[in-house]
Amino acid sequence: MTTGNAQPLRITVWNEFVHERRDPLPRELYPDGMHAGFAAAIRAHLAVDVTVRCATLDEPEHGLSESVLRATDVLTWWGHCAHDAVADEVVERVAAHVLAGMGLLVLHSGHYSKLFRRLMGTECSLRWRNEDDRELVWSVNPGHPICEGVPSPFVIAKHEMYGEYFDIPQPDDLVFISSFSGGEVFRSGCCFRRGKGRIFYFSPGDQDYPIYHDANVRRVIANAVRWCAPSSTAHQAPPTGRSDVGWYLRNDAPEETE
Amino acid sequence: MTTGNAQPLRITVWNEFVHERRDPLPRELYPDGMHAGFAAAIRAHLAVDVTVRCATLDEPEHGLSESVLRATDVLTWWGHCAHDAVADEVVERVAAHVLAGMGLLVLHSGHYSKLFRRLMGTECSLRWRNEDDRELVWSVNPGHPICEGVPSPFVIAKHEMYGEYFDIPQPDDLVFISSFSGGEVFRSGCCFRRGKGRIFYFSPGDQDYPIYHDANVRRVIANAVRWCAPSSTAHQAPPTGRSDVGWYLRNDAPEETE
Amino acid sequence: MTTGNAQPLRITVWNEFVHERRDPLPRELYPDGMHAGFAAAIRAHLAVDVTVRCATLDEPEHGLSESVLRATDVLTWWGHCAHDAVADEVVERVAAHVLAGMGLLVLHSGHYSKLFRRLMGTECSLRWRNEDDRELVWSVNPGHPICEGVPSPFVIAKHEMYGEYFDIPQPDDLVFISSFSGGEVFRSGCCFRRGKGRIFYFSPGDQDYPIYHDANVRRVIANAVRWCAPSSTAHQAPPTGRSDVGWYLRNDAPEETE
Amino acid sequence: MTTGNAQPLRITVWNEFVHERRDPLPRELYPDGMHAGFAAAIRAHLAVDVTVRCATLDEPEHGLSESVLRATDVLTWWGHCAHDAVADEVVERVAAHVLAGMGLLVLHSGHYSKLFRRLMGTECSLRWRNEDDRELVWSVNPGHPICEGVPSPFVIAKHEMYGEYFDIPQPDDLVFISSFSGGEVFRSGCCFRRGKGRIFYFSPGDQDYPIYHDANVRRVIANAVRWCAPSSTAHQAPPTGRSDVGWYLRNDAPEETE
């Protein structure tokens, strides 16, 4: 949520971009990479100005230098087969920015990314099956801004099944639960607050399905990006350390009458 | 959870007891009333001593006098067609005991009871369908004592569908999510803490199905009764009201060395 | 949080307005009623257009008719000595609108209002003392939009002490904790989601102190009003009731490619 | 909470044990090491059988081998000046056991341990001051078993101040809030569930104060150890991975009538 600042919301879309260059089906579905689709969805749906940049695994520092992160309000993350290839140093840098206020949207197999596991502190493991299950995405939090403009349920005709037990901390806010034709359930839309940052995990998004062309999925991504946005453009970790008695009295004028 | 007090855990099983005396199918499934089944399940599974009494709608004060409640550690509640017939005065009395520490287990259609709605503050509405859906009850909190000894998922071959959006506050702890053959999902096992009391809502339990003969359902009920049990046998609301400066210094000896 | 809708945010400020007309000190501090101060603070700080109306206890239906509520995005509530005078019928009407999406900001002694207790389901009791304690309001959720532009802690030089145990459900989000010179603590800024509505309870605000002239308190009130605002201008309770198998397939076209 | 299993609860008390051998004041207060005090408090207050072993930093593998952890129901952790000396390999091993069910009680400066930060995913930073503040420990969850037998507030006449903002995820259950004579507040008793494990963070406990001789502090530690105890003696991570359609039907007999 922005403060009404005239500055556009600054989004960085991070994508592993391995499958779309290596495997026939993803390449056909996402010829410019999945990140192109995210960027388009975000621009189309947000009611505020946005600037969107993309970054991929194979760039220097995976495209996530300190200056890029400092100029990012919300980072989106999609990865699947190359989690281990992400440098620990970059993971720590990104995590620090999230704790200092940068928003983070983690998609699908990003549940196993070093970054998401680093921030959750749990295994983030789950059950899965790739056999064209029908997925129904149900809202269990109908007033939540991430649900805005999206029916409940919305139908994903064919998708990979993700099933419980999903080893995450209990979400601060549970927004979606999915069911699959095989009977499994999954907490598919989960909000977390860590430090000053907001994190949203959204499970739909296997690279072998045209998920990111789905209107409802694109709407959720745009809503989530806006929800993740920090109040302040500067990522500033909260102050800590040794504090004198009455330190707070030096800064504050208690009775500013208006 | 008891304190290890040698006293047995004192359970009161409250049942509307209308359907089993009026409608053929419930009468056949539960000839002694559903409460007889709950009592048996509770006695069979708890590893601590229990005393179980039953109370029904048609008794004076619905069997829930002040002295009965004072002698109850955990109350279980099943109602369906006669929620309106429960006296407001009794509802307030029971709610006060819950806030003062008495545990409460609410089952199935009890979601629409005056008592549950009074304690939740929301509508507690939901979707439903009575067409022999298969229900799968999944644990999303595998370390929780209510899940102990129960597989995930466990299968209820035929049951009434309850579907989201279930208008409850976000549970303090979400334990079970159910899926139904029709594709719906439902937060079927929900823990709440209100005042000093513990509340567990568990959705399986339509009167036209042999649900309360199911071993897994009976095990969950017993686990939940134990989880709901207060630490202290006396229901005592926390102190409130006007408080002098340093009132707490009169009672406490700060440095009791051992 | 608005959707970027060009419509102004519609606020209704409800005030008991008894003390300011009856007692010397409140009358001196708030000659036009506390509601005048709230309205001014809200207009001054919100970065979006607002329209603010006021309503008081002594108006017909306490100024909270069905049409007023339908035209309200966020309702603020201050009451103290006349909670019992609020008609049950009006309380139910307001509660229904909150569950259907209207935001609610409850201030100070409003913790004992029929409305807040109805929505919380608990006693909402607390300890108190009116002896000019110094209050420090600390943020425990520094990224939260309600904290925006407000130092942590901010100082209220003299105020009524509110102390734990505050009998509320655990907040969905705890934003502020206050300490008092007498040593007491209090969860003074609490977010709750109920149905589709957002509720914020904020404790500073005794009528014998110039609290609502304090710049930080006014900023929090404005931030909270914006946070409480619903995504949609229409208050619509979520659908419930009997649902056919596959009912959701009649409305949804699964693969809307863009 | 035990299952009623006749086996004693198996506790491992881990202590850095550097200050008590190096610095005069801690050595005088805790001549046998702080772990001796914890062990005594735990044995004295638990109403069930316990076996307590101790382990310290300077032992091989810091006394936390795979076989020790497999035989531990609850681990307590106190560290301060040598967090960096704890081997990453041991941290990962302990974290895995917590996620698989082992309970964890983290004390005082343990907030900065690799283990606690690994499990929280946040900085766990805070404000502090070592100038003999008076601490008041207030319960905000009076029905919680960790509060049993402990007054609210209880007084710690002189202690190190820990102050917000404490960079932790919002606790699943907030049990205690402390105030300090300097006016600071701190969420001093925090419950977290991670995987199948239970974690309790309790802030009182600076090595230069006789905190662990305090009767209330000792009672809380014993209550917390019992609360952290897993339902099952075996630490078993939940199953994950590829799952066939209907895999769960092979194991479950749906209608086991009793």
Side-chain angles (χ1 to χ4, degrees):
Chain A
M1 177 178 154
T2 62
T3 59
N5 189 330
Q7 301 277 11
L9 197 57
R10 306 163 303 173
I11 316 296
T12 298
V13 173
W14 192 89
N15 182 26
E16 204 178 64
F17 200 26
V18 169
H19 287 288
E20 305 96 300
R21 292 188 287 197
R22 187 189 78 186
D23 304 333
L25 193 42
R27 184 165 51 216
E28 182 183 328
L29 289 169
Y30 306 104
D32 300 317
M34 275 187 283
H35 45 289
F38 293 159
I42 290 167
R43 288 189 191 97
H45 283 289
L46 287 191
V48 295
D49 285 338
V50 292
T51 64
V52 186
R53 87 165 81 198
C54 295
T56 58
L57 177 70
D58 56 339
E59 296 176 27
E61 295 184 272
H62 313 309
L64 299 170
S65 66
E66 181 61 34
S67 62
V68 166
L69 295 175
R70 227 181 289 131
T72 296
D73 294 315
V74 181
L75 172 71
T76 77
W77 189 282
W78 196 100
H80 181 242
C81 61
H83 297 307
D84 282 351
V86 180
D88 291 348
E89 180 184 347
V90 174
V91 172
E92 283 312 305
R93 183 187 304 152
V94 177
H97 275 267
V98 173
L99 297 177
M102 182 175 77
L104 176 67
L105 170 54
V106 178
L107 296 153
H108 191 59
S109 41
H111 71 89
Y112 258 151
S113 63
K114 287 183 178 181
L115 176 63
F116 189 64
R117 294 177 68 171
R118 157 75 176 79
L119 288 165
M120 292 296 105
T122 55
E123 289 293 298
C124 305
S125 49
L126 43 78
R127 288 184 181 272
W128 63 272
R129 175 178 57 246
N130 233 325
E131 288 176 27
D132 290 354
D133 275 67
R134 179 189 74 180
E135 177 172 359
L136 301 174
V137 184
W138 298 86
S139 165
V140 296
N141 204 325
H144 201 282
I146 291 180
C147 297
E148 205 185 317
V150 172
S152 180
F154 67 88
V155 183
I156 300 173
K158 295 184 187 179
H159 196 229
E160 174 177 25
M161 178 283 285
Y162 269 12
E164 296 285 345
Y165 173 61
F166 184 24
D167 186 7
I168 49 168
Q170 182 161 255
D172 292 307
D173 252 308
L174 180 61
V175 179
F176 296 119
I177 296 176
S178 287
S179 68
F180 296 85
S181 30
E184 287 89 355
V185 300
F186 194 74
R187 289 165 293 163
S188 48
C190 303
C191 297
F192 303 92
R193 283 176 300 286
R194 292 297 185 267
K196 297 173 76 175
R198 292 178 158 194
I199 302 168
F200 185 66
Y201 172 77
F202 187 50
S203 59
D206 188 77
Q207 68 282 3
D208 288 344
Y209 296 91
I211 286 292
Y212 293 121
H213 296 290
D214 179 281
N216 292 315
V217 170
R218 291 164 78 101
R219 183 65 198 261
V220 170
I221 286 171
N223 291 344
V225 160
R226 183 164 59 177
W227 177 79
C228 285
S231 308
S232 164
T233 52
H235 306 165
Q236 196 169 34
T240 79
R242 194 187 167 283
S243 307
D244 284 335
V245 171
W247 60 273
Y248 44 79
L249 291 173
R250 289 191 283 274
N251 296 329
D252 184 281
E255 283 174 75
E256 283 183 45
T257 1
E258 288 195 12
Chain B
M1 179 180 156
T2 62
T3 59
N5 189 329
Q7 301 278 9
L9 197 57
R10 305 161 303 174
I11 317 296
T12 298
V13 173
W14 193 89
N15 181 27
E16 203 177 66
F17 200 25
V18 169
H19 287 287
E20 305 96 301
R21 291 188 288 196
R22 187 189 79 187
D23 304 332
L25 192 41
R27 185 165 50 214
E28 183 183 328
L29 289 169
Y30 306 103
D32 301 317
M34 275 186 282
H35 45 290
F38 292 159
I42 291 167
R43 288 189 191 97
H45 282 289
L46 286 191
V48 295
D49 286 340
V50 292
T51 64
V52 185
R53 86 165 84 198
C54 295
T56 58
L57 177 70
D58 56 339
E59 297 176 27
E61 297 183 270
H62 314 309
L64 298 170
S65 66
E66 181 60 33
S67 63
V68 166
L69 294 175
R70 227 182 287 130
T72 296
D73 295 313
V74 181
L75 172 70
T76 76
W77 189 281
W78 197 100
H80 181 242
C81 62
H83 297 308
D84 282 351
V86 180
D88 290 348
E89 181 184 346
V90 174
V91 173
E92 283 312 306
R93 184 187 304 150
V94 177
H97 275 268
V98 173
L99 297 178
M102 182 176 76
L104 177 67
L105 170 56
V106 178
L107 295 153
H108 190 61
S109 40
H111 70 89
Y112 258 150
S113 64
K114 288 182 177 182
L115 176 63
F116 188 65
R117 294 177 68 171
R118 158 75 176 79
L119 287 165
M120 292 295 105
T122 55
E123 289 292 299
C124 305
S125 50
L126 43 77
R127 288 184 181 272
W128 62 273
R129 176 179 58 246
N130 234 324
E131 288 175 27
D132 290 355
D133 275 67
R134 179 188 73 180
E135 177 173 357
L136 301 174
V137 184
W138 298 86
S139 165
V140 296
N141 206 325
H144 201 283
I146 291 180
C147 298
E148 205 185 318
V150 172
S152 180
F154 66 88
V155 183
I156 300 173
K158 296 184 189 179
H159 195 229
E160 174 177 23
M161 178 284 285
Y162 269 11
E164 295 286 344
Y165 172 61
F166 185 25
D167 186 7
I168 49 168
Q170 182 160 253
D172 293 306
D173 252 307
L174 180 61
V175 179
F176 296 119
I177 295 175
S178 287
S179 68
F180 296 86
S181 29
E184 288 89 356
V185 300
F186 194 73
R187 288 166 292 162
S188 47
C190 303
C191 297
F192 303 92
R193 284 176 300 285
R194 293 296 186 266
K196 297 173 75 175
R198 293 177 157 195
I199 301 169
F200 185 65
Y201 172 77
F202 186 50
S203 60
D206 187 77
Q207 68 281 2
D208 288 344
Y209 297 91
I211 288 292
Y212 294 120
H213 296 290
D214 179 281
N216 292 316
V217 169
R218 290 164 79 100
R219 183 64 199 261
V220 170
I221 286 170
N223 291 344
V225 160
R226 183 165 59 176
W227 177 80
C228 285
S231 307
S232 163
T233 51
H235 306 163
Q236 196 168 35
T240 79
R242 195 187 165 283
S243 306
D244 284 336
V245 171
W247 60 272
Y248 44 79
L249 291 173
R250 289 191 284 274
N251 294 331
D252 185 279
E255 282 174 77
E256 283 182 45
T257 2
E258 288 195 14
Chain C
M1 178 177 152
T2 62
T3 61
N5 188 329
Q7 301 278 9
L9 196 58
R10 306 162 303 173
I11 317 294
T12 298
V13 173
W14 193 88
N15 182 27
E16 204 177 65
F17 200 26
V18 169
H19 286 289
E20 305 95 300
R21 290 187 289 197
R22 186 189 79 187
D23 304 332
L25 192 42
R27 182 165 52 214
E28 184 182 327
L29 289 169
Y30 305 103
D32 301 316
M34 275 186 282
H35 45 290
F38 292 158
I42 290 166
R43 288 190 191 98
H45 282 290
L46 287 190
V48 295
D49 285 339
V50 291
T51 64
V52 186
R53 85 164 84 196
C54 296
T56 58
L57 178 70
D58 56 339
E59 295 175 28
E61 297 184 271
H62 314 309
L64 299 171
S65 65
E66 182 59 35
S67 63
V68 166
L69 295 175
R70 228 181 288 130
T72 296
D73 295 313
V74 181
L75 172 70
T76 78
W77 190 282
W78 197 101
H80 181 242
C81 60
H83 298 307
D84 281 353
V86 180
D88 290 348
E89 181 185 346
V90 174
V91 172
E92 283 313 305
R93 184 188 305 151
V94 177
H97 275 266
V98 173
L99 297 177
M102 183 176 76
L104 177 66
L105 170 55
V106 178
L107 295 153
H108 190 62
S109 40
H111 71 89
Y112 259 150
S113 64
K114 288 182 177 181
L115 176 63
F116 188 65
R117 294 177 68 172
R118 157 74 176 79
L119 288 165
M120 293 293 106
T122 55
E123 290 291 300
C124 305
S125 49
L126 44 78
R127 287 185 181 270
W128 63 273
R129 175 179 58 247
N130 234 324
E131 288 176 27
D132 291 353
D133 275 68
R134 180 189 72 181
E135 177 171 358
L136 300 175
V137 184
W138 297 86
S139 165
V140 295
N141 205 326
H144 200 283
I146 290 179
C147 297
E148 206 184 318
V150 173
S152 180
F154 65 88
V155 183
I156 300 172
K158 295 184 188 180
H159 195 230
E160 174 176 24
M161 178 283 284
Y162 269 11
E164 297 285 343
Y165 173 59
F166 184 24
D167 187 7
I168 49 169
Q170 182 159 255
D172 293 306
D173 252 307
L174 180 61
V175 179
F176 295 119
I177 296 175
S178 287
S179 69
F180 295 86
S181 30
E184 287 89 356
V185 301
F186 195 73
R187 290 164 291 162
S188 48
C190 303
C191 297
F192 302 92
R193 285 176 300 285
R194 293 295 186 267
K196 297 174 74 175
R198 293 178 157 193
I199 302 169
F200 185 66
Y201 173 78
F202 186 51
S203 59
D206 188 78
Q207 69 281 2
D208 288 344
Y209 296 91
I211 286 294
Y212 294 120
H213 296 289
D214 179 283
N216 292 316
V217 169
R218 291 163 78 99
R219 183 64 199 261
V220 170
I221 285 171
N223 291 344
V225 159
R226 183 165 60 176
W227 177 81
C228 285
S231 308
S232 163
T233 51
H235 305 165
Q236 197 167 35
T240 78
R242 196 188 163 282
S243 307
D244 284 336
V245 171
W247 60 272
Y248 45 79
L249 291 174
R250 288 190 285 272
N251 296 329
D252 186 282
E255 282 175 75
E256 284 182 44
T257 1
E258 290 196 13
Chain D
M1 177 177 152
T2 61
T3 61
N5 187 330
Q7 300 278 8
L9 197 57
R10 305 163 302 173
I11 317 295
T12 298
V13 173
W14 194 88
N15 182 26
E16 204 178 64
F17 200 25
V18 169
H19 287 288
E20 305 95 301
R21 290 186 290 197
R22 187 189 79 186
D23 303 334
L25 192 42
R27 184 165 51 214
E28 184 182 328
L29 289 168
Y30 305 103
D32 301 317
M34 275 187 282
H35 45 290
F38 293 158
I42 290 166
R43 289 190 191 99
H45 282 289
L46 287 190
V48 295
D49 285 339
V50 291
T51 64
V52 186
R53 86 165 84 198
C54 295
T56 58
L57 178 70
D58 56 339
E59 296 176 28
E61 297 183 271
H62 313 309
L64 299 171
S65 65
E66 181 60 34
S67 62
V68 167
L69 296 175
R70 228 182 288 130
T72 296
D73 296 313
V74 181
L75 173 70
T76 78
W77 190 281
W78 196 101
H80 181 242
C81 62
H83 298 307
D84 282 352
V86 181
D88 291 348
E89 181 184 345
V90 174
V91 173
E92 284 311 305
R93 183 188 305 152
V94 178
H97 275 266
V98 173
L99 297 177
M102 182 176 77
L104 177 66
L105 169 55
V106 179
L107 295 154
H108 190 62
S109 40
H111 70 89
Y112 259 150
S113 63
K114 288 182 177 181
L115 176 62
F116 189 65
R117 293 177 69 170
R118 156 76 175 77
L119 288 165
M120 293 294 107
T122 56
E123 290 291 298
C124 305
S125 49
L126 44 78
R127 287 184 182 271
W128 63 272
R129 175 179 57 247
N130 234 323
E131 288 176 27
D132 291 354
D133 275 67
R134 180 188 72 180
E135 176 173 358
L136 301 174
V137 184
W138 298 86
S139 165
V140 296
N141 204 327
H144 201 282
I146 291 179
C147 298
E148 205 185 317
V150 174
S152 180
F154 65 88
V155 183
I156 299 173
K158 295 183 188 182
H159 195 229
E160 173 176 25
M161 178 282 286
Y162 270 10
E164 295 286 343
Y165 171 61
F166 184 25
D167 186 7
I168 50 169
Q170 182 160 254
D172 293 306
D173 252 306
L174 180 61
V175 179
F176 296 119
I177 296 176
S178 288
S179 69
F180 295 86
S181 29
E184 287 88 356
V185 299
F186 194 73
R187 289 165 292 163
S188 47
C190 303
C191 296
F192 303 92
R193 283 175 301 285
R194 294 295 186 267
K196 296 174 74 175
R198 292 178 158 195
I199 302 168
F200 185 66
Y201 173 78
F202 187 50
S203 60
D206 188 78
Q207 70 279 3
D208 288 345
Y209 297 91
I211 287 294
Y212 294 120
H213 296 289
D214 179 281
N216 292 316
V217 169
R218 292 164 78 100
R219 182 65 198 261
V220 170
I221 285 170
N223 292 344
V225 159
R226 183 165 60 175
W227 177 81
C228 285
S231 308
S232 163
T233 51
H235 305 164
Q236 197 167 35
T240 80
R242 196 188 164 282
S243 306
D244 284 336
V245 171
W247 60 272
Y248 44 80
L249 291 173
R250 288 190 284 272
N251 295 329
D252 186 279
E255 282 176 74
E256 284 181 45
T257 1
E258 290 194 12

